[in-house]
Amino acid sequence: MLRLYDTRSRAIAPLALQREGHVGIYVCGPTVQAPPHVGHLRSAVALDVLRRWLLERGEEVTFVRNITDIDDKIIHDAAHDDEPWWALSTRMTRAFTQAYDAVQVLPPTVEPRVTGHVPQIVALIGDLVAGGTAYESGGDVYLAVKAVPSYGEISGQKPDQLRQSDKAVAHGHTGTKRDPLDFALWKAAKEGEPSWPSPWGPGRPGWHIECSAMAVEYLGTTFDLHAGGLDLVFPHHENEAAQSTAAGHPFAQHWLHHGLVTAKGGEKMSKSLGNSVTVADALASVPPVVLRYALGAAHYRSTIEWSEQVATEAAAAYARIETFVRNATDVVGETSVDLALSAAPWAEFAAALDDDLGVPQALAVLHGGVRAGNALLAARDLPALAATLSVVRRMLGVLCLDPLTDWPSVGSGELTAVVDALVQLAVEARAQARERKDWAQADALRDRLASSGVILEDTANGVRWRLS
RNA sequence: GGCCGGGUGGCCGAGUGGCUUAGGCAAGGGACUGCAAAUCCCUGUACGCGGGUUCGAUUCCCGCCCCGGCCUCCA
């Protein structure tokens, strides 16, 4: 049974399912206002590992990740650049999709947009107003937080001790609420802003209500898991839970929050500080698989830092894995082997992931397999090597880090055969030079290949080449 | 002011009331190699500070210091 940390109960608990064999997950996706940064990708990768592990365990997964395609910032930025808000959000949605694809994050089962669900949102707000927990005020609709006794259960905040921040007052985010804690479900349209009709006049959805409406639309009023970044615990998830509860929905049974990515030095990554690293920036310095490794190797709840040094170390760690898989595959091929031969490491790996997605421990098991495999390779124990390679690749598959199937190298297929033939010519010439102990000539040939990016390695099994 | 997390060996990063005290990177030594590369083996006073509980604490409790997040929006 997979056990996961639950934010509400502050404990690791089994992920209970509404329906056996099926896991319903709702993830708060991005507000598509600016290009994705590495933090967005960390979120996606962490949850992708969760999803792939559930799939590996044979579960059916309905994975809902929304797109917030209308909000204050989108409207503001679009107006500033004289671009329609829908053009900006569409452009940014594409940028996010490309970023997710680049690191092989599985596409969500459904990716609902807020603007495509206004009727559901209006209906939900209507229920809340009818039920007396929400009220209209000057064209806005607010949820009366004090009317929801369970408010604060997820974040641990106590309504009596919350205070309205100075910043909110300074920015004029106070609206026409009866109580400072109340939050907007529906925002009355301002001059020149996009709006949709509603019983309370033209306006647009508040931020929190959209997730409640879309989660219920695709997963039902009770579902298994709600996930998102640690920065969403309060107020976003607290408010989602409050309004859903007020509407009579049991809502999410388990709440998962992943850690954030900081810039170098542990500083918060934010546009105002000018230190956010976009996915495009990161991919300019490391290949996608290394980015995935770097973002996915830490435990999902820990804070991780993004810097050149982190990227470099991730590249080195991944290279060790990749080298083993390629070297071993050269010798034993891609034959799949009875996993019973490697049952012990797999069980250890599975136990690590089952325990709150313990990726670091799982990677330790994987690295143990790599070390053992390298020794078997040297000892030329082929049957054992094949078994070890199989189990290592199965582990890599769960993490989506298999260099052969998940990240086939450039120049695969016919081009590889051509290059291989050319490299073999040089290898043969070098072999002749070595035979007559003409080390200068042999080394010159090796150096020339190296300067073209081809690294030669002399092994007991002959000469092996790889791209540097 | 309130609510959450953290502080582990040169770096990153797991974990545990005592056991061969993760793993990776980097460093040093050895093996292999014509030299390399790759690989294997070995090495290094680790657990923020001060108390307490305990036969024994990095791990539990109390206090303190420091760092980060949230309380407008943010993965």
Side-chain angles (χ1 to χ4, degrees):
Chain A
M1 188 65 218
L2 173 59
R3 294 157 54 80
L4 289 173
Y5 185 84
D6 172 45
T7 306
R8 175 159 44 193
S9 58
R10 283 182 195 75
I12 292 175
L15 179 64
L17 303 181
Q18 291 302 115
R19 177 152 62 84
E20 200 177 330
H22 175 267
V23 187
I25 303 175
Y26 185 89
V27 183
C28 288
T31 299
V32 282
Q33 172 226 172
H37 59 243
V38 291
H40 292 112
L41 225 44
R42 194 275 174 97
S43 172
V45 168
L47 296 171
D48 195 51
V49 170
L50 168 65
R51 184 171 174 197
R52 287 172 186 268
W53 181 233
L54 289 168
L55 293 172
E56 169 69 33
R57 296 179 47 115
E59 307 288 355
E60 183 194 342
V61 180
T62 300
F63 193 93
V64 183
R65 186 183 61 217
N66 77 293
I67 296 277
T68 298
D69 62 344
I70 187 79
D71 91 321
D72 292 348
K73 282 185 176 173
I74 292 172
I75 292 169
H76 174 269
D77 288 4
H80 185 266
D81 292 342
D82 213 15
E83 180 180 23
W85 64 270
W86 36 263
L88 174 62
S89 63
T90 299
R91 201 155 50 79
M92 289 307 154
T93 300
R94 278 175 58 81
F96 271 86
T97 300
Q98 285 164 0
Y100 295 140
D101 287 350
V103 294
Q104 308 271 29
V105 169
L106 294 171
T109 314
V110 61
E111 194 165 35
R113 291 171 303 120
V114 176
T115 56
H117 297 76
V118 174
Q120 291 91 329
I121 292 167
V122 167
L124 178 56
I125 298 173
D127 288 348
L128 291 167
V129 172
T133 45
Y135 59 90
E136 186 270 333
S137 173
D140 293 338
V141 180
Y142 294 98
L143 189 90
V145 165
K146 295 271 170 61
V148 184
S150 61
Y151 195 80
E153 265 187 5
I154 291 170
S155 64
Q157 298 281 0
K158 296 176 188 68
D160 293 344
Q161 296 186 293
L162 280 167
R163 64 173 187 192
Q164 190 162 36
S165 79
D166 301 337
K167 277 189 287 184
V169 176
H171 286 75
H173 287 283
T174 52
T176 54
K177 310 169 185 181
R178 290 179 191 163
D179 185 300
L181 293 179
D182 295 349
F183 58 89
L185 302 175
W186 187 258
K187 297 179 166 192
K190 297 196 185 93
E191 189 60 34
E193 287 190 351
S195 68
W196 286 259
S198 84
W200 317 283
R204 60 188 166 87
W207 179 37
H208 315 297
I209 196 71
E210 60 185 63
C211 287
S212 289
M214 290 187 286
V216 168
E217 173 75 10
Y218 295 100
L219 297 172
T221 53
T222 308
F223 60 94
D224 305 316
L225 178 67
H226 192 126
L230 222 35
D231 54 344
L232 298 183
V233 175
F234 191 91
H236 187 234
H237 289 165
E238 196 68 72
N239 290 356
E240 261 186 67
Q243 68 210 178
S244 299
T245 303
H249 301 160
F251 211 59
Q253 299 305 108
H254 204 112
W255 291 82
L256 177 151
H257 292 96
H258 60 257
L260 306 182
V261 180
T262 67
K264 190 172 167 56
E267 199 175 48
K268 182 190 174 184
M269 204 173 269
S270 79
K271 282 203 301 180
S272 54
L273 290 170
N275 62 358
S276 61
V277 178
T278 65
V279 173
D281 292 338
L283 288 177
S285 59
V286 291
V289 63
V290 171
L291 179 57
R292 180 167 177 122
Y293 184 91
L295 295 175
H299 187 90
Y300 76 89
R301 283 195 281 124
S302 64
T303 303
I304 58 176
E305 182 181 306
W306 181 262
S307 65
E308 281 302 316
Q309 190 196 336
V310 169
T312 306
E313 286 183 8
Y318 185 70
R320 179 175 164 77
I321 294 169
E322 184 180 22
T323 300
F324 165 68
V325 171
R326 293 195 189 285
N327 289 352
T329 303
D330 278 351
V331 175
V332 298
E334 290 202 44
T335 52
S336 72
V337 166
D338 182 5
L339 284 164
L341 288 169
S342 321
W346 177 257
E348 248 187 284
F349 179 86
L353 288 184
D354 275 343
D355 182 15
D356 197 27
L357 234 48
V359 170
Q361 298 95 317
L363 279 173
V365 176
L366 194 153
H367 272 110
V370 169
R371 193 177 341 98
N374 277 322
L376 292 167
L377 187 58
R380 309 210 50 74
D381 182 345
L382 268 30
L385 174 60
T388 301
L389 176 62
S390 287
V391 74
V392 165
R393 289 190 62 196
R394 188 173 174 207
M395 293 174 190
L396 287 169
V398 171
L399 303 171
C400 191
L401 292 171
D402 187 326
L404 301 182
T405 53
D406 299 318
W407 307 89
S409 61
V410 261
S412 57
E414 52 191 51
L415 187 55
T416 301
V418 172
V419 173
D420 186 59
L422 294 172
V423 171
Q424 287 312 324
L425 280 176
V427 166
E428 281 163 27
R430 175 167 168 267
Q432 285 164 16
R434 293 180 74 200
E435 213 160 301
R436 56 178 192 268
K437 300 205 187 305
D438 182 354
W439 308 126
Q441 174 67 12
D443 291 351
L445 281 164
R446 185 171 62 194
D447 291 347
R448 249 186 94 181
L449 285 173
S451 68
S452 309
V454 175
I455 306 296
L456 294 190
E457 294 173 4
D458 297 325
T459 75
N461 203 36
V463 181
R464 184 160 63 206
W465 70 269
R466 64 184 166 89
L467 298 176
S468 61

